[in-house]
Amino acid sequence: MIKIKHLFLIIICATLMSCNSDKYDFPLDKRYWDNNDYKEAILELRFGYEDDEKKPTFDDPEQRMIVQKLTDEQNFKVVLTDKELGIKHRNNVSTKFFEHWQDMTQIYQERDRKDNYIYDVEMLAVWHFGLGLQLDYFNLGNEDIKNRADDPNSVRVKNIINKNIGTLVSNYIIYLDEVNEEKALTEEGKSKLAEGIDKYFTQLIELYPEANYSGMKNKAELMFKKSESDKIKSSLTKLIELIDSKKKVELD
Amino acid sequence: MNDYLIIFLIFLLYFSPVFYQIFKLLRERKEENKKLLKRLLRFTKYSLLLLIFTSVIFGILSHTNYLNYEKPLSFDKYDQITFQNFRGLEFFKKSLYGNKRFAYVVTTIESDFEDNSVTIESLFHPSRSFVYKKNTNSKELLTHEKYHIKITELFVRKAKENISKLNSFDEVKINEIIKKNKSAERKYQQEYDYNTFHSYVLSEQKKYEKEVDSLLDLLSEFKNPKITINDKN
């Protein structure tokens, strides 16, 4: 009799102990997330959390992995930069990634009653993911256009490609709008914002040195006047200098 | 709360009157109850035996599908292997990292000693290898899986190369060489899957294909499964 009672108790305890208490199911052990994983993860992060429930952040040891995985650029780079894969395939994959990224930007937009971002570092990490992605996305799109054109050097094709680069530059300028919101950022957030300018804007200008950056320069100058953060000001100064240096080379 | 826990608790709650009755029955050790208890125990015994028998059958079929058996194939049949040869059954694993279109291949290194020779072969086990759909046209998936077979053959040839350097026929040393190559093969297979991420990273897949093919070519003199050692002293 006692044995049976104990047996029941053991079974119940074992069941309880083997239970996985994780409420959310993200494929964290998967080396690379594909578009389907992003679709599921974004849905979960946008609509699966209750209003006052804390979302995964970089400073949360238990949930850090989720946001790290979400913003890991290797997830798209492993496909988009793989030259063994066809351009059409990579272009299709990048288009889907771009669409997912647009949804991703909604995850960490929340603000508190003082208008401060609740998840500023995570929101900027998502931004960085998008800035990096767009470099590959636009590049593949342009390559595909060239491949499909009868004459890749024709004026028409060049105009389309230049227009696309112009759109890419405009998309980058939107990132600089965040300087207007620097009061809503923590010191860590301001550093992250500055890092984004240093890293991704440099990559953009190095990739397309001949593009028209006058709008970007103008925006950077205005933001420089407005910003009160030394780190952001320093990054904007470097950006303006880089644009000027490319202009100089062009004139020479 | 975990789904299984909920199911388990519902099950306990649902059958709680039954458990309560059994509990009461066990407490009242009257003569008529003893009869009932015996019957219950006999029923439980047969149920358990049936469960064990079913589990064993289930386990055997999960390991090797004897319902659709094909004997292990040696490496000389490599070119004939298609997904039609993947006859294994998979009862539990329904996806690999969320991807339902997956396959796996089972290979082994087998050795057989004779007087002064040893036969070492890489074998592909059709009835233990699985594909989600036999008529799939995924050439990339098939290529990825077939390179697992090539990798096994590569380490078989490496083992034969090592054995050929022995001065005398020493079974202990040969077994050591085989064991060492078996473990190196497992490690290489894992690296292959990790780096190619099961063929998702095509550039890595191509890199491995080139490497494995060139190494197999280099060791082509060890193609023959049988290797004879004559004393060199």
Side-chain angles (χ1 to χ4, degrees):
Chain A
M1 187 66 168
I2 293 166
K3 273 181 190 170
I4 289 173
K5 256 166 57 182
H6 285 172
L7 190 71
F8 261 108
L9 201 68
I10 289 165
I11 291 170
I12 290 167
C13 289
T15 315
L16 286 170
M17 279 167 75
S18 68
C19 284
N20 183 358
S21 61
D22 283 350
K23 186 179 167 187
Y24 303 104
D25 189 21
F26 295 96
L28 296 177
D29 55 342
K30 191 171 177 179
R31 195 166 172 215
Y32 303 111
W33 278 10
D34 60 19
N35 272 304
N36 286 332
D37 299 314
Y38 269 92
K39 191 180 160 191
E40 301 286 328
I42 293 165
L43 263 176
E44 192 74 66
L45 287 163
R46 282 190 67 187
F47 307 109
Y49 282 73
E50 287 164 35
D51 285 347
D52 58 346
E53 192 178 352
K54 191 175 184 278
K55 286 182 178 172
T57 54
F58 287 111
D59 59 7
D60 179 348
E62 278 181 20
Q63 298 212 40
R64 180 193 295 154
M65 278 284 286
I66 299 168
V67 64
Q68 278 174 344
K69 202 81 200 173
L70 183 80
T71 55
D72 184 358
E73 293 184 27
Q74 280 309 310
N75 290 329
F76 64 79
K77 280 203 181 298
V78 75
V79 178
L80 307 191
T81 59
D82 189 340
K83 293 208 163 53
E84 288 289 342
L85 296 165
I87 282 188
K88 274 192 179 45
H89 171 76
R90 286 189 281 157
N91 196 23
N92 288 341
V93 173
S94 71
T95 305
K96 281 182 190 157
F97 263 112
F98 184 66
E99 285 165 5
H100 287 316
W101 172 68
Q102 287 173 316
D103 292 336
M104 261 165 84
T105 57
Q106 303 299 314
I107 298 170
Y108 291 111
Q109 286 291 346
E110 279 169 70
R111 293 174 189 246
D112 62 15
R113 290 194 296 169
K114 290 173 85 179
D115 290 346
N116 293 329
Y117 283 115
I118 298 172
Y119 305 107
D120 60 342
V121 178
E122 291 72 26
M123 181 270 290
L124 288 164
V126 170
W127 246 118
H128 293 178
F129 180 88
L131 292 177
L133 171 66
Q134 287 182 72
L135 289 178
D136 290 323
Y137 171 56
F138 278 86
N139 190 29
L140 282 167
N142 288 341
E143 284 299 311
D144 195 28
I145 289 168
K146 278 187 209 166
N147 276 352
R148 280 188 285 137
D150 294 344
D151 179 9
N153 297 316
S154 70
V155 179
R156 196 178 142 267
V157 171
K158 278 182 180 167
N159 281 343
I160 295 171
I161 288 171
N162 285 337
K163 202 178 157 200
N164 283 347
I165 296 169
T167 309
L168 173 63
V169 173
S170 303
N171 288 355
Y172 264 62
I173 293 172
I174 300 169
Y175 180 75
L176 296 180
D177 278 339
E178 292 297 338
V179 181
N180 281 320
E181 303 288 338
E182 73 173 26
K183 285 195 176 76
L185 301 172
T186 58
E187 278 311 308
E188 202 188 346
K190 285 173 194 164
S191 301
K192 189 100 181 163
L193 180 63
E195 271 170 36
I197 299 171
D198 292 343
K199 185 179 173 186
Y200 296 99
F201 283 66
T202 308
Q203 283 179 14
L204 171 77
I205 295 167
E206 295 300 339
L207 191 63
Y208 301 109
E210 287 164 10
N212 181 5
Y213 294 107
S214 56
M216 184 181 281
K217 190 189 168 191
N218 186 35
K219 179 86 178 178
E221 284 168 345
L222 290 171
M223 291 299 105
F224 179 83
K225 282 178 198 161
K226 205 171 173 185
S227 176
E228 286 171 9
S229 158
D230 291 340
K231 279 180 187 162
I232 294 173
K233 278 186 161 188
S234 160
S235 296
L236 289 168
T237 308
K238 277 189 260 175
L239 174 63
I240 294 164
E241 283 171 2
L242 184 65
I243 294 171
D244 285 341
S245 72
K246 295 294 167 191
K247 224 185 236 173
K248 230 179 195 178
V249 171
E250 212 177 299
L251 287 172
D252 290 344
Chain B
M1 205 187 287
N2 189 295
D3 293 347
Y4 294 112
L5 177 67
I6 295 168
I7 293 167
F8 182 71
L9 290 178
I10 289 171
F11 176 82
L12 279 185
L13 197 71
Y14 184 79
F15 286 103
S16 55
V18 179
F19 292 130
Y20 179 69
Q21 289 304 323
I22 295 170
F23 179 73
K24 268 179 71 178
L25 196 71
L26 288 169
R27 284 187 72 166
E28 293 169 25
R29 287 189 172 260
K30 287 179 193 164
E31 201 53 43
E32 53 191 276
N33 284 353
K34 274 185 182 173
K35 268 186 190 169
L36 273 171
L37 190 64
K38 258 188 181 174
R39 205 184 295 162
L40 184 77
L41 282 174
R42 204 186 314 136
F43 176 75
T44 312
K45 196 171 84 182
Y46 288 128
S47 301
L48 267 174
L49 280 174
L50 188 71
L51 190 72
I52 290 166
F53 179 73
T54 317
S55 305
V56 168
I57 297 285
F58 208 64
I60 289 169
L61 288 178
S62 286
H63 183 266
T64 308
N65 181 12
Y66 288 105
L67 299 174
N68 186 12
Y69 187 74
E70 184 181 353
K71 65 173 187 163
L73 301 176
S74 51
F75 191 70
D76 53 320
K77 311 265 185 344
Y78 180 83
D79 293 333
Q80 299 162 23
I81 297 168
T82 66
F83 274 136
Q84 293 300 326
N85 299 93
F86 287 56
R87 295 162 187 259
L89 292 172
E90 185 53 74
F91 295 111
F92 302 106
K93 202 174 174 185
K94 296 293 172 215
S95 68
L96 180 72
Y97 296 118
N99 189 1
K100 286 173 185 164
R101 297 172 179 188
F102 77 100
Y104 60 79
V105 69
V106 176
T107 59
T108 55
I109 296 174
E110 303 293 337
S111 56
D112 186 25
F113 287 85
E114 279 170 48
D115 302 334
N116 64 340
S117 69
V118 57
T119 303
I120 312 172
E121 270 188 301
S122 64
L123 294 178
F124 157 62
H125 297 263
S127 298
R128 290 168 66 185
S129 303
F130 170 81
V131 63
Y132 74 101
K133 191 168 77 182
K134 272 196 175 54
N135 59 354
T136 175
N137 192 28
S138 178
K139 282 179 190 161
E140 281 173 12
L141 186 62
L142 182 63
T143 306
H144 176 80
E145 296 309 324
K146 284 183 76 173
Y147 267 81
H148 278 294
I149 302 171
K150 278 197 174 182
I151 290 168
T152 309
E153 174 63 16
L154 173 64
F155 281 88
V156 163
R157 289 186 191 181
K158 278 188 179 187
K160 280 184 271 189
E161 186 197 25
N162 295 341
I163 292 165
S164 71
K165 287 175 186 162
L166 293 176
N167 288 323
S168 59
F169 190 82
D170 184 336
E171 217 172 302
V172 178
K173 275 186 185 169
I174 291 171
N175 270 324
E176 260 174 39
I177 289 170
I178 294 169
K179 201 177 157 192
K180 213 174 115 192
N181 277 283
K182 271 184 183 174
S183 99
E185 184 249 351
R186 283 297 118 199
K187 203 176 156 213
Y188 193 91
Q189 299 275 25
Q190 280 165 5
E191 275 175 14
Y192 168 61
D193 267 341
Y194 180 79
N195 290 332
T196 63
F197 195 51
H198 307 273
S199 85
Y200 183 72
V201 188
L202 197 60
S203 54
E204 280 295 317
Q205 174 68 33
K206 295 291 164 196
K207 225 185 269 177
Y208 270 94
E209 286 176 18
K210 270 183 202 161
E211 186 177 292
V212 171
D213 284 339
S214 67
L215 288 171
L216 277 174
D217 274 350
L218 271 175
L219 297 168
S220 57
E221 61 174 301
F222 300 102
K223 220 189 258 182
N224 193 340
K226 195 170 181 175
I227 181 160
T228 308
I229 311 282
N230 294 312
D231 273 1
K232 290 168 191 167
N233 296 327

